[in-house]
Amino acid sequence: MPNKTIYVSDDDLPLFQRAQEIAGGKLSVAIAAALRRYVEVEEGRQQGYEEVIVRVGPGLGRKQRFSGMLLAEMEQTGNERDETYRIYRTRTEKFVVHHERSEAHVNTGPNTEKYRTGWRAWVGDWSANQSWTRIPADSTLRIVGDLDALREIIPRELYELVLDAVSQPTVEDLDI
């Protein structure tokens, strides 16, 4: 096994010591893992990909991270809640669909249909028999392997935007 010498400043010595502790006493394991991650991220960046961190699940959810390129984004606004779709292409040529839905307040009382028609239906009709349900915000992350599978899970208009984006070069070098 070849030896490599790494010079560490006095200020960085505690960082290297902590990395060695975490790696079970083998600093080379920590350095190799850090370099592997660095090379992966930087190669992706050079190819036009960036690190993407999204929240998934109900409410704030949990964070998920991947390397991807945003192809298309679409927002839909409804009477009860808003939805946002973001479509990414990963370095492994898969497609990632991040779908966010805002919090909703749904009238579950006797005049439910009336209140979905807009604010004019509300004026002058504040009955005591209203009932509301709060549905928390949520988001999902779905991964598909090809465009056919993607078409099945996103709105048609968004799919057309993705097709247009996929037909463009990932990175276009300009000679200017």
Side-chain angles (χ1 to χ4, degrees), residues 97-128:
V97 178
H98 184 239
H99 180 207
E100 293 179 305
R101 296 179 344 145
S102 69
E103 179 178 81
H105 294 275
V106 181
N107 185 332
T108 54
N111 294 321
T112 300
E113 289 304 315
K114 178 180 180 179
Y115 291 111
R116 290 185 180 162
T117 61
W119 67 270
R120 287 187 175 93
W122 295 52
V123 176
D125 187 20
W126 290 99
S127 69

Side-chain angles (χ1 to χ4, degrees), residues 10 22 24 61 73 78 96 98 128 149 162:
D10 289 338
I22 292 171
E73 182 175 3
V96 176
H98 184 239
V162 171

